Amino acid sequence: MTNTSLSNPDLIPTTAAQRTWRWWHFAALWVGMVMCIPAYTLAASLIESGMSWSQAVGTVFLGNLIVLVPMLLIGHAGAKYGIPYAVLARASFGTQGAKLPALLRALVACGWYGIQTWFGGQMIYTLAGVLLGHPLGGDPLPGLGISAAQFGCFLLFWALQFWFVVHGIDAIRKLETYTAPIKIVICFVLLWWAWDKAGGFGPILDQPSAFTDGGKKAGQFSSVFWPSLTAMVGFWATLALNIPDFTRFARSQRDQLVGQALGLPGPMGLLAALAVFVTSATVVIYGKALWDPVDLASRMTGAAVLIALIVLLIDTVSVNLAANLVGPAYDFSALAPSRISYKAGGMLTCGIAIVMMPWKILASTQGYIFTWLIGYSALLGPVAGILIVDYYLLRKTELAVDELYREGGRYSYSSGWNAAALIAFAVGVAPNVPGFLNAAFPAAFPDIAPAFKAIYTYAWFAGLALAAVVYGLLMAGKAQAHPLPRTAL
């Protein structure tokens, strides 16, 4: 029978009545998540590393095209069985072992949730300064390192998002669906504004690649391209794992496939191009490149600044809730289903986001996009490899859903832990650890072998491939792949 320590109303398979998401809901979800400040600024990091604008936009598009593959593969299980990621992981990691990948995913999301909330608070801080006619200012508070005004704006934005936590995932779906078309229109309005103000697009578009013959980094393109591509994949690596948390509400398999294919790679590439075009124009308008849309909005005049900052606020709320709240809410619930509901998991995520003090993470981490993104992709890539091999190659997409919620069944392995998955995960992560330590703490770990640095360059790819191969070998002949009945819980 179903074990209450493994199940609650939020974790059981969705019913037919709950499956209301059509392809346009998924497309709108992705448009809503793509249109965010960190995604807007991704192209900046690539251009600063020496790429031309076309190389930067192409790298962003390719990275998102690659991550779409595991997104669709793992999303299949959610649409077919109506189960969230934390429950799907039980098939490979075990009923208790699945708590490890769930916790990893949740903690990464808490970090992102806090970072995005800080960005939102900074927008309120900027908006308040514009409306008052002067910056809010103030001395840093002891222990926090930011002013009372900054902290108050952070908490205000935190509270704004908390309303959606209380009202559940359907409120998030409606927010994404209604705001996605507005975001698309605003992007084109911003593009027209930049072109009009600058009398065309500026020098960034004319800047050649630094990797061409005679350039500052001639012949070094691959050494920049591969870690950049890994970072682009890592940007959505968290969603590639917990996408079943959304696809479990799909009306059909086709809805999640079409919606995601339309909503992710294309809009992400277009946003990168928009960022490049607008920023290139800011060189002409303001005399320097402004990659930060909040900084750009604060320099506008009249009603434009108010409209721009409000749109950015709505944008940050929608992406943060969808990308960084839904997943950890389910993951925390799966850690202790009898005590933590989806709503309680969401509240826990919000609480951890404050405790992490994201402004300190951003202030103390140099090149955080690459260190942060590649670093956690080294953890999440192996999990994706294990899930895909288990679901497709070993079980042929057939699961005994009721046994995912039972101790002592086929997914319990040894006391709820599948040693094969743990070994495969460790093998996938281990080669990336030295490279991560060198990237994150170069002064403390300066003498890392070049081979480990090279492996870390491909962290997500290397981790996924290694874990997939090891798990497949260890589980050969052990998983039951024949059709299994899906009995009601």
Side-chain angles (χ1 to χ4, degrees), residues 272-312:
L274 170 77
V276 170
F277 295 154
V278 173
T279 304
S280 186
T282 64
V283 177
V284 177
I285 301 169
Y286 300 108
K288 63 178 181 178
L290 300 177
W291 288 99
D292 182 354
V294 179
D295 186 12
L296 174 59
S298 69
R299 293 168 185 261
M300 295 178 179
T301 57
V305 64
L306 181 62
I307 295 171
L309 287 170
I310 289 175
V311 168
L312 286 172

Side-chain angles (χ1 to χ4, degrees), residues 343-356:
K343 188 178 294 185
M347 293 178 181
L348 185 58
T349 301
C350 295
I352 293 175
I354 295 178
V355 174
M356 292 180 77

Side-chain angles (χ1 to χ4, degrees), residues 72-88:
L72 296 178
L73 291 176
I74 297 174
H76 183 281
K80 183 174 183 178
Y81 297 105
I83 55 177
Y85 154 71
V87 172
L88 172 63

Side-chain angles (χ1 to χ4, degrees), residues 57 77 90 134 178 181 213 223-224 255 280 314 328 372 390 395 463:
V57 172
R90 293 173 184 173
H134 60 83
Y178 297 148
D213 292 339
S223 64
V224 173
D255 283 307
S280 186
I314 295 172
W372 173 248
D390 184 83
R395 307 190 191 279

Side-chain angles (χ1 to χ4, degrees), residues 244-416:
D245 296 343
F246 297 98
T247 60
R248 66 195 297 243
F249 297 100
R251 282 279 295 271
S252 68
Q253 202 67 251
R254 180 179 177 276
D255 283 307
Q256 74 97 1
L257 288 170
V258 172
Q260 292 203 83
L262 291 176
L264 176 56
M268 195 74 178
L270 288 174
L271 180 69
L274 170 77
V276 170
F277 295 154
V278 173
T279 304
S280 186
T282 64
V283 177
V284 177
I285 301 169
Y286 300 108
K288 63 178 181 178
L290 300 177
W291 288 99
D292 182 354
V294 179
D295 186 12
L296 174 59
S298 69
R299 293 168 185 261
M300 295 178 179
T301 57
V305 64
L306 181 62
I307 295 171
L309 287 170
I310 289 175
V311 168
L312 286 172
L313 279 172
I314 295 172
D315 168 53
T316 305
V317 169
S318 64
V319 68
N320 208 21
L321 292 170
N324 305 316
L325 177 83
V326 175
Y330 279 121
D331 295 338
F332 283 131
S333 180
L335 296 180
S338 62
R339 295 189 295 274
I340 304 176
S341 64
Y342 167 85
K343 188 178 294 185
M347 293 178 181
L348 185 58
T349 301
C350 295
I352 293 175
I354 295 178
V355 174
M356 292 180 77
M357 292 192 285
W359 53 90
K360 290 196 173 184
I361 296 176
L362 293 173
S364 62
T365 307
Q366 296 299 316
Y368 86 97
I369 285 182
F370 286 106
T371 303
W372 173 248
L373 293 179
I374 298 179
Y376 75 65
S377 75
L379 293 175
L380 303 185
V383 177
I386 291 168
L387 292 184
I388 292 171
V389 168
D390 184 83
Y391 183 65
Y392 285 93
L393 300 185
L394 302 181
R395 307 190 191 279
K396 314 299 183 185
T397 75
E398 296 294 338
L399 299 173
V401 175
D402 57 335
E403 295 202 21
L404 290 169
Y405 300 86
R406 292 176 178 169
E407 291 289 14
R410 71 185 66 195
Y411 304 122
S412 290
Y413 301 100
S414 176
S415 301

Side-chain angles (χ1 to χ4, degrees), residues 437-457:
L437 293 175
N438 175 255
F441 313 103
F445 299 92
D447 302 319
I448 299 299
F452 285 116
K453 293 181 182 179
I455 292 173
Y456 184 66
T457 298

